[in-house]
Amino acid sequence: MSFYQRLVVVIAFAALLLGVLTLFSYDIVKIDWISFMEIQPSFKAMENPLPVAARSIPIEGAAYIPGQGAPVNPVKSDPTSVERGRVLYSVTCIQCHGAKADGNGIIGGALVFQPANLTGDVVQNKPDGSLFLTISNGIQGTGGQIHMPALNENLTVRDRWDLVNYIRTLKAAAAPTPTPQP
Ligand code: HEC
């Protein structure tokens, strides 16, 4: 074999090797390399998240314990809480329940179920915990249709109690002016 013939063989061999390696480097042939990041329980995008570990609790503490009745309002109704509630109301509730909270929001009329009048006795006579659960879980019709959406994923626990404290102030606003004493 002449020097040039040997050179051609060596180059051909090197090219073949490079070609085979390229197959792997461009993931044409995929190898699951062992890497430490992958040796752990993880889920890829769009996969269902792992279930919450047994006996774990949310960092804010349990909002309420199902089956134990309505929770008690832990947030004092001070001006800060009411103001936070007012702002949250104007972002999350006003479209349905209306600027006067009477259930006549701009999209309220388009709904099959008229949003509740939050100033009225029906709502105001319910305990704080009941309103909290309504905001958290929404209201579902018997056929599974949604009357009011569950807002627990949009609002923190504190947010929801602030809203309850705000709703309480609406009763006073809507109450008829007392007849002056003679
Ligand atoms: C998509 C529209 C919509 C939004 C947004 C909405 N609600 Fe409602 N809400 C309704 C409807 C409709 C009802 C009445 C459902 C029924 O009577 O079955 C209702 C009922 C209620 C009730 C009455 C529950 C009862 O027990 O009588 C409360 C309290 C309430 N909403 C509070 C809120 C608060 C606070 C927010 C904002 C955080 C909010 N809602 C956002 C549509 C909405």
Side-chain angles (χ1 to χ4, degrees):
M1 237 192 231
S2 78
F3 170 73
Y4 288 111
Q5 277 172 327
R6 268 183 281 170
L7 191 64
V8 166
V9 170
V10 168
I11 291 174
F13 205 75
L16 190 73
L17 196 70
L18 200 74
V20 170
L21 283 177
T22 316
L23 284 183
F24 291 104
S25 58
Y26 284 96
D27 269 1
I28 297 167
V29 177
K30 203 168 158 46
I31 306 178
D32 248 341
W33 299 105
I34 293 172
S35 76
F36 288 114
M37 281 298 279
E38 286 199 7
I39 310 178
Q40 62 170 346
S42 62
F43 54 94
K44 301 203 168 65
M46 311 305 283
E47 268 181 11
N48 279 337
L50 297 170
V52 177
R55 296 173 62 81
S56 57
I57 55 162
I59 50 168
E60 278 187 73
Y64 64 96
I65 301 171
Q68 302 237 320
V72 177
N73 188 348
V75 179
K76 209 171 135 268
S77 173
D78 54 18
T80 312
S81 170
V82 171
E83 177 59 14
R84 289 191 83 228
R86 190 188 64 77
V87 172
L88 287 165
Y89 179 89
S90 68
V91 176
T92 335
C93 325
I94 203 165
Q95 13 2 350
C96 289
H97 287 279
K100 293 192 198 125
D102 53 4
N104 291 319
I106 45 168
I107 67 163
L111 298 175
V112 179
F113 293 93
Q114 180 71 21
N117 175 0
L118 302 182
T119 66
D121 285 348
V122 177
V123 169
Q124 290 294 339
N125 287 342
K126 291 188 174 164
D128 285 5
S130 159
L131 303 183
F132 177 87
L133 289 180
T134 299
I135 301 170
S136 303
N137 304 328
I139 302 174
Q140 267 202 4
T142 41
Q145 73 277 45
I146 292 171
H147 293 192
M148 169 163 155
L151 295 167
N152 54 355
E153 288 190 4
N154 309 56
L155 301 162
T156 66
V157 171
R158 168 73 204 249
D159 288 348
R160 285 174 253 160
W161 286 120
D162 288 336
L163 277 159
V164 170
N165 286 339
Y166 172 65
I167 292 174
R168 287 296 174 220
T169 66
L170 300 175
K171 181 188 177 131
T177 358
T179 346
Q181 293 293 312

